Amino acid sequence: MDEKKVMLSGIQPSGDLHLGNYLGAIKNWVDRTDEFDNYYFMADMHTITVRQNPADLRRRTLEQLAQYIACGLDPDKNTLFIQSHVHQHAELGWVLQCYTMFGELSRMTQFKDKSAKHKENINGGLFTYPSLMAADILLYQPDFVPVGEDQKQHCELTRDIAQRFNSIYGDVFKIPEPYIPKAGARVMGLTAPDSKMSKSMPEGCVFLMEKPEDIQRKFKRAITDSDTENCVRYDPAAKPGVANLMSIYSAVTGKSYETIEQEFGGCGYGKFKPAVGDAVVECLRPIREEATRILADKAYLESVYKAGAEKASYVANKTLRKVYKKIGFVAR
Ligand code: TYM
């Protein structure tokens, strides 16, 4: 029997999970669970590149695990783990820093954005973050890395680092492909359709655990467009707010833009916005209920992340040993 291909991805527990994380990444992970051998983690080591309150980081890491499972990631079919529990990430991260160029790191848009936002704390980790991300990925020899559009640049750098390493030492790393969804790859803010949805704009961001009435309020107040047409039509350049709502609706319901235009084209934004809100509420309701239930069972969560770390370490260690041997470290 052919071995299954491998998928791997992670999310920083730097804030509560939101609709962008779900549609851009997690939903895609869940939809392909049975086809692949899957590794998904909480990227807590990346999170400390920006100052965190320790108690909040710990709480959010466990909440994120409960939400992964509630979104449909069955721990029997997915290796779910906490990044800092698998020490090989830090070790390979260091090695790969030595194979990543200063110029490459300087061009990363996430670094530019975050260093502009956190001027008081432009630390070394923020700069070398992509080398650690390359290690996260390459340790597991994945075929695909399912992420939203904004992580494409980091995935491409990962490929460049892997190719550079392989060209010196032979085929050590598999070269992974980013795997980006058709709808939901870049969910924009509801209050600012020119910026991606993120936790830093609370009114424009829908969180997975949010109450239905709050979700509805945010969709009703979503910015549409200043044109007078008042017609639901997919035109991202002229109507970015409507296009964003259409892509959310499409990702959540599976309907095509054409079908959505036929359904709402004639009725104006007044009917469309609450309909998108309803669809999102119904999509998130079971996730919220299940996550609340799972989060109450701390022993279960612990059993999941411990088993996950054990399996992940085993796989990661194989790659790390190979790398250490190739670069000339003496075997233990
Ligand atoms: P992070 O934690 O910022 O985001 C996690 C995932 O959510 C996607 N995403 C979005 N997708 C669509 N629309 C949005 N508005 C939106 N906001 C976030 C991101 O593209 C991502 O897939 N560096 C990564 C975390 C990471 C990682 C890795 C990912 C660390 N190591 C290894 C993959 C493989 C990050 O900061 O994502």
Side-chain angles (χ1 to χ4, degrees):
M1 203 182 79
D2 284 347
E3 288 219 337
K4 281 186 175 176
K5 295 201 164 178
V6 176
M7 278 253 198
L8 166 134
S9 198
I11 298 183
Q12 299 188 61
S14 53
D16 296 331
L17 288 177
H18 57 72
L19 195 61
N21 300 135
Y22 180 67
L23 297 180
I26 304 173
K27 185 170 182 299
N28 228 1
W29 309 351
V30 175
D31 290 349
R32 316 300 298 266
T33 279
D34 289 323
E35 265 172 81
F36 292 92
D37 186 12
N38 311 291
Y39 297 83
Y40 297 117
F41 61 97
M42 280 57 74
D44 56 347
M45 291 166 67
H46 285 275
T47 305
I48 61 161
T49 53
V50 172
R51 288 280 175 270
Q52 301 294 326
N53 172 306
D56 288 346
L57 176 57
R58 223 181 323 272
R59 175 183 52 78
R60 281 197 309 260
T61 305
L62 293 179
E63 285 174 0
Q64 192 170 310
L65 175 61
Q67 288 169 34
Y68 277 6
I69 301 169
C71 286
L73 293 176
D74 177 349
D76 291 334
K77 296 182 181 170
N78 299 272
T79 303
L80 306 178
F81 64 98
I82 298 172
Q83 184 188 23
S84 62
H85 289 187
V86 182
H87 59 80
Q88 289 85 356
H89 288 244
E91 293 184 55
L92 184 64
W94 170 252
V95 173
L96 295 185
Q97 276 186 50
C98 303
Y99 293 82
T100 315
M101 298 301 136
F102 183 89
E104 289 173 322
L105 293 170
S106 314
R107 285 193 288 277
M108 295 294 112
T109 48
Q110 186 164 312
F111 171 70
K112 289 187 206 164
D113 290 350
K114 286 206 173 164
S115 51
K117 237 191 232 161
H118 303 279
K119 284 206 173 62
E120 72 303 338
N121 183 23
I122 306 178
N123 58 71
L126 195 63
F127 189 62
T128 60
Y129 179 116
S131 307
L132 179 59
M133 178 159 161
D136 299 338
I137 297 172
L138 298 175
L139 278 171
Y140 301 90
Q141 309 282 359
D143 297 271
F144 298 107
V145 182
V147 285
E149 182 76 41
D150 63 330
Q151 292 300 315
K152 197 169 166 214
Q153 193 186 32
H154 284 159
C155 291
E156 279 164 1
L157 179 56
T158 298
R159 287 166 60 87
D160 292 344
I161 296 170
Q163 268 153 354
R164 180 172 302 139
F165 196 92
N166 285 355
S167 72
I168 306 172
Y169 302 105
D171 275 346
V172 176
F173 297 125
K174 187 175 265 178
I175 310 297
E177 297 275 346
Y179 182 85
I180 295 171
K182 283 197 187 78
R186 195 171 174 81
V187 179
M188 308 308 274
L190 300 183
T191 46
D194 53 346
S195 327
K196 72 169 183 180
M197 180 178 281
S198 79
K199 62 175 191 310
S200 58
M201 47 158 97
E203 269 307 297
C205 183
V206 172
F207 297 98
L208 298 199
M209 297 301 281
E210 216 162 1
K211 289 200 225 87
E213 55 272 29
D214 292 334
I215 298 178
Q216 267 303 2
R217 184 193 71 242
K218 289 180 181 179
F219 276 100
K220 282 187 187 148
R221 290 193 193 153
I223 305 248
T224 36
D225 299 291
S226 51
D227 62 7
T228 48
E229 194 184 38
N230 195 23
C231 167
V232 176
R233 188 164 56 75
Y234 190 73
D235 184 348
K239 298 155 82 75
V242 172
N244 186 40
L245 292 175
M246 287 179 78
S247 78
I248 292 173
Y249 192 66
S250 168
V252 167
T253 61
K255 291 180 185 173
S256 69
Y257 294 141
E258 251 176 26
T259 309
I260 301 170
E261 282 170 3
Q262 279 162 10
E263 199 176 338
F264 294 99
C267 4
Y269 306 145
K271 259 203 158 145
F272 182 51
K273 291 201 280 186
V276 183
D278 280 341
V280 171
V281 163
E282 289 321 313
C283 166
L284 297 185
R285 188 189 303 281
I287 297 175
R288 193 184 68 240
E289 289 172 0
E290 185 64 0
T292 308
R293 193 186 65 72
I294 296 170
L295 195 58
D297 191 347
K298 294 284 182 300
Y300 170 68
L301 282 177
E302 188 178 327
S303 72
V304 170
Y305 68 66
K306 284 198 164 159
E310 199 174 316
K311 171 144 189 240
S313 295
Y314 177 78
V315 176
N317 210 40
K318 282 205 226 170
T319 304
L320 188 69
R321 294 290 135 233
K322 213 170 173 182
V323 168
Y324 277 4
K325 190 169 175 200
K326 291 281 185 188
I327 58 180
F329 288 178
V330 173
R332 279 186 228 186

